[in-house]
Amino acid sequence: MEKNKTKNRREFIQGGVRLSLSLALGGISGMAVSSAIKDDYVWQIDPFLCTQCGKCATDCIMAPSAVKCVHAFDLCGYCDLCGGYLKPDANEQSTAAENQLCPTAAIERKFIEEPYFEYHIDEDLCMGCGKCVAGCTSFGNGSMHLQIVHDICLNCNQCSIAQVCPSDAISRVKASEAYKVKGDFTNKPEV
Amino acid sequence: MVINIMKKLKYIFITFYFLLSTFYLFSQEQRFPKPEFETGYEQPSTITPEPRALALEYFDVLILIIVLSLASYFALKKRSRQGILWLSVFTLLYFGFYRNGCICSIGSIQNVVQSFFDPAYSISVTALLFFIIPLIFTLFFGRTFCGGACPLGAIQDLIVVKPISLPKWLNKTLGLIPYIYLALAVLFAATGTDYIICRYDPFVGIFRMDAKFHMVVLGISFLLMGMFVARPYCRFLCPYGVLLSWMSRFSKWHLSITPAACIQCKLCTNSCPFDAIDFPTNEKEVIKSGLGPKRFITYAVIIPLWVAAGIFVGAKSHTFLSKANPDVYLAELLISQPELKNDPENIDIETFLASGKSMETLVEEAEAIRADFYIGSMIAGGFIGLVIGFTLLNTVVFRRRQDYEPHKGNCFSCSRCQDYCPVEK
């Protein structure tokens, strides 16, 4: 009888605590659900905040980085002295390695017609250092810019580049609008 | 001819912009209009690969529920170590190596915390489900999540070679670290500083086969340690384990070592690598040790002292802790070493100066964050003090046990002991 009583008491306490724990869990999830969104989040760079500091190339957990230069062709001015392709002090406008700004020669130049070239970025070679972005933004239209490419990005819970980005350019965006490509951007009406 | 003139003009323009480049860093207008092509050139479109489909994220949640159900079935009903073992191999392959260890339930604590404190952040349903589902399962079946559904647990469980038994005092003392880790993780997530659980996850580098050097060293040393001290991360670090152990202590059902009556053969105690099996109480020893109501009362009375000490330590360390926040760090650096403003090497300071944000706003922001840290670290300190107080109190509380039983809070439901138990059903 005595034993039964202790057992009952213990079971009663256990049941009570269990109930309150489940209520607490329900409360937490309820509060979180009220602000939750169905969409998932991914990380993306705002090209207008980016200052091309070069940390994207070094701080991503992927090697080479999941940050790549993308070329918004809408914006490209097809400058024949491309600030993204050629070094500012290039000897001549040729494809010689000494003249190329890109340290990995990831920018391919394709001839269209005199004097225009199409510039295309080879994602496998690009390491996201942003040198061409700096060149294009300072001397050209800024059509080359850095973006996190989502078939490479592992979508870490905390982006290790975002943590060190000096201009706080990397933030979570909804997965349904995963890119901030400049061309799209300028076409969009101001909010 | 016209093209040539245009070309020359462009050169002039380029030289011009070259000189003024710094002023136009953020300009958005198109400086050079698109040329009109004569050869009918068609402009390619920018390639933007889609992120992982949302449906697949929900598929992960489904997999988690299935794995948890199977783990609970194997541990509680089927009593099958084999089942749990193969389940953890699957978990390691799927959530570990295939999903690269992200998102995991352990890290999701921070997402939940941030969604409470940061009005700009709203948690995704997947992250919330990863946080809540294992806790609910644990409230009913014990920590079957740890046994079968956690990739971090699985990788450690599979490499246990020759586990040694740690002395009880060491187990208890090291067992306090997860509480401190949890408190810090919540503090850092709430102040929007960092996700330390993710940053210092020792195994994620192994899952991805790629990590920073110090993380690889940490991961491998954890695995080497784990060969002898079984599941070191789970027992002495895992902050999610704290929550799971709270749930598990009051779980409705839990795995039992024997299918029928215990015959006190003591075989199971050798089987548990985690020192999670409680012995039957030796009443004589309890009386002899002199632990009694007196000590209970002493320990109960000093709990408020522990809490006060924790709050004091928290308040004292908030300045130090807040330095982990990049804004606070930058403000402090600029105040203490203003000469760094002329240092072109320091990218953070250069960017701050170029952004046009005034020093006053930066300091104001930093002070607000530090104030949050002040309150937050006092709460965290008080919490840790409370935990220390209760851990001490628990050492003098005796529950009468006649049989060998798993410790409901610490048992990972790995089902090893059930394999050893000679009792037939």
Side-chain angles (χ1 to χ4, degrees):
Chain A
M1 190 64 203
E2 181 66 23
K3 240 179 206 168
N4 259 343
K5 228 184 201 171
T6 23
K7 211 181 172 196
N8 279 343
R9 190 170 60 213
R10 194 176 283 177
E11 269 169 12
F12 175 73
I13 293 172
Q14 285 226 334
V17 176
R18 185 158 57 239
L19 187 69
S20 42
L21 280 175
S22 44
L23 285 179
L25 277 187
I28 289 174
S29 44
M31 271 161 78
V33 157
S34 67
S35 69
I37 55 156
K38 282 228 176 76
D39 207 349
D40 211 352
Y41 280 110
V42 291
W43 296 94
Q44 196 48 274
I45 301 173
D46 184 337
F48 294 113
L49 290 178
C50 173
T51 49
Q52 300 96 39
C53 65
K55 285 193 178 172
C56 286
T58 54
D59 280 79
C60 183
I61 56 115
M62 299 289 290
S65 172
V67 174
K68 304 285 176 200
C69 173
V70 299
H71 197 183
F73 292 100
D74 277 345
L75 265 180
C76 182
Y78 294 85
C79 320
D80 37 333
L81 187 64
C82 174
Y85 185 74
L86 296 165
K87 276 185 186 161
D89 54 349
N91 287 333
E92 50 179 326
Q93 294 174 51
S94 74
T95 55
E98 53 168 11
N99 300 328
Q100 287 191 31
L101 188 61
C102 181
T104 57
I107 306 178
E108 288 161 1
R109 191 167 85 154
K110 207 168 91 191
F111 179 72
I112 307 168
E113 63 185 53
E114 193 62 42
Y116 305 120
F117 290 95
E118 179 189 301
Y119 297 94
H120 173 80
I121 286 114
D122 185 347
E123 258 177 28
D124 294 336
L125 290 177
C126 178
M127 55 176 199
C129 67
K131 289 200 168 98
C132 59
V133 179
C136 181
T137 314
S138 339
F139 310 134
N141 284 345
S143 57
M144 286 178 184
H145 58 91
L146 293 177
Q147 287 284 281
I148 294 170
V149 177
H150 290 300
D151 59 345
I152 304 171
C153 175
L154 293 178
N155 200 12
C156 299
N157 205 6
Q158 169 72 58
C159 174
S160 61
I161 317 171
Q163 202 60 38
V164 294
C165 176
S167 49
D168 292 332
I170 302 182
S171 59
R172 287 187 179 85
V173 297
K174 284 179 184 163
S176 49
E177 298 159 22
Y179 287 89
K180 290 184 172 179
V181 174
K182 257 184 176 176
D184 294 356
F185 238 151
T186 39
N187 294 339
K188 264 183 210 160
E190 288 287 314
V191 182
Chain B
M1 189 64 197
V2 179
I3 291 172
N4 269 339
I5 295 169
M6 285 276 290
K7 210 173 169 182
K8 270 185 190 143
L9 266 177
K10 209 171 235 179
Y11 275 123
I12 295 165
F13 268 117
I14 288 168
T15 332
F16 182 65
Y17 275 114
F18 193 97
L19 295 171
L20 294 176
S21 60
T22 45
F23 299 101
Y24 282 86
L25 211 63
F26 297 107
S27 72
Q28 293 180 24
E29 79 273 20
Q30 202 148 332
R31 288 172 199 157
F32 307 110
K34 197 178 289 296
E36 279 174 23
F37 297 106
E38 286 157 6
T39 49
Y41 158 74
E42 263 184 51
Q43 172 192 306
S45 53
T46 313
I47 304 156
T48 51
E50 283 301 303
R52 198 162 181 267
L54 192 61
L56 284 174
E57 307 282 327
Y58 285 113
F59 179 71
D60 288 347
V61 176
L62 183 71
I63 294 280
L64 177 74
I65 294 174
I66 293 172
V67 170
L68 276 170
S69 314
L70 277 176
S72 308
Y73 169 73
F74 284 138
L76 273 71
K77 195 93 188 151
K78 191 93 193 303
R79 305 169 49 78
S80 157
R81 169 68 192 151
Q82 284 272 314
I84 298 268
L85 189 69
W86 287 111
L87 205 58
S88 51
V89 170
F90 169 78
T91 301
L92 182 62
L93 291 178
Y94 186 81
F95 288 113
F97 289 104
Y98 169 63
R99 290 296 295 122
N100 297 110
C102 228
I103 179 164
C104 78
S105 301
I106 305 172
S108 70
I109 299 172
Q110 302 158 116
N111 301 57
V112 174
V113 170
Q114 197 186 351
S115 78
F116 286 145
F117 287 91
D118 182 358
Y121 175 77
S122 41
I123 191 170
S124 67
V125 174
T126 353
L128 181 61
L129 288 175
F130 263 84
F131 174 74
I132 219 85
I133 291 172
L135 290 177
I136 294 171
F137 263 86
T138 308
L139 199 53
F140 285 95
F141 306 109
R143 297 173 71 169
T144 48
F145 170 76
C146 303
C150 178
L152 282 78
I155 193 170
Q156 294 174 87
D157 204 83
L158 293 174
I159 52 139
V160 174
V161 180
K162 191 168 173 37
I164 52 166
S165 177
L166 298 182
K168 206 170 180 188
W169 63 268
L170 191 61
N171 253 329
K172 289 255 179 205
T173 321
L174 291 176
L176 289 172
I177 302 173
Y179 290 91
I180 301 171
Y181 199 19
L182 176 70
L184 287 177
V186 170
L187 176 66
F188 282 130
T191 50
T193 302
D194 202 352
Y195 278 20
I196 53 168
I197 300 175
C198 298
R199 181 179 289 255
Y200 301 109
D201 181 341
F203 303 114
V204 81
I206 294 165
F207 295 150
R208 290 172 178 156
M209 299 285 185
D210 187 8
K212 296 262 157 62
F213 179 71
H214 66 275
M215 290 314 292
V216 174
V217 170
L218 192 70
I220 289 174
S221 50
F222 259 100
L223 286 184
L224 287 178
M225 201 200 306
M227 292 162 85
F228 307 105
V229 181
R231 288 199 185 219
Y233 185 83
C234 305
R235 283 155 81 194
F236 308 128
L237 267 174
C238 182
Y240 195 61
V242 170
L243 305 181
L244 289 172
S245 123
W246 288 346
M247 298 293 151
S248 185
R249 272 165 218 261
F250 302 101
S251 70
K252 185 139 174 85
W253 301 285
H254 193 277
L255 105 175
S256 65
I257 300 173
T258 61
C262 176
I263 54 166
Q264 318 262 334
C265 66
K266 220 183 159 187
L267 275 174
C268 55
T269 55
N270 293 326
S271 73
C272 185
F274 317 115
D275 304 324
I277 293 178
D278 284 334
F279 288 43
T281 10
N282 186 342
E283 309 237 351
K284 270 183 206 156
E285 235 169 63
V286 175
I287 298 161
K288 213 165 64 182
S289 70
L291 302 172
K294 223 180 210 171
R295 209 187 267 190
F296 179 86
I297 290 166
T298 327
Y299 282 160
V301 165
I302 59 165
I303 286 179
L305 290 180
W306 279 112
V307 176
I311 292 174
F312 178 75
V313 172
K316 282 282 163 202
S317 54
H318 86 280
T319 326
F320 171 73
L321 290 173
S322 67
K323 277 184 192 160
N325 186 291
D327 283 344
V328 176
Y329 178 78
L330 184 65
E332 204 152 76
L333 194 66
L334 280 171
I335 291 168
S336 61
Q337 291 166 280
E339 73 274 7
L340 280 177
K341 276 183 184 171
N342 306 319
D343 178 14
E345 292 289 300
N346 194 319
I347 295 169
D348 293 302
I349 292 177
E350 285 299 297
T351 314
F352 164 71
L353 293 176
S355 71
K357 201 163 142 188
S358 75
M359 191 66 201
E360 281 77 33
T361 14
L362 178 73
V363 172
E364 238 169 62
E365 279 173 20
E367 268 169 0
I369 294 168
R370 183 160 280 181
D372 290 345
F373 262 98
Y374 187 54
I375 299 168
S377 44
M378 282 205 292
I379 296 173
F383 167 74
I384 293 166
L386 195 68
V387 168
I388 294 174
F390 269 101
T391 310
L392 267 180
L393 191 66
N394 247 327
T395 56
V396 289
V397 174
F398 282 91
R399 292 196 185 81
R400 268 197 195 89
R401 267 183 305 268
Q402 260 131 28
D403 303 323
Y404 290 89
E405 283 167 15
H407 185 287
K408 277 176 92 178
N410 294 343
C411 171
F412 295 123
S413 301
C414 71
S415 194
R416 279 191 179 86
C417 50
Q418 298 178 330
D419 231 18
Y420 272 64
C421 186
V423 179
E424 298 282 337
K425 207 169 191 177

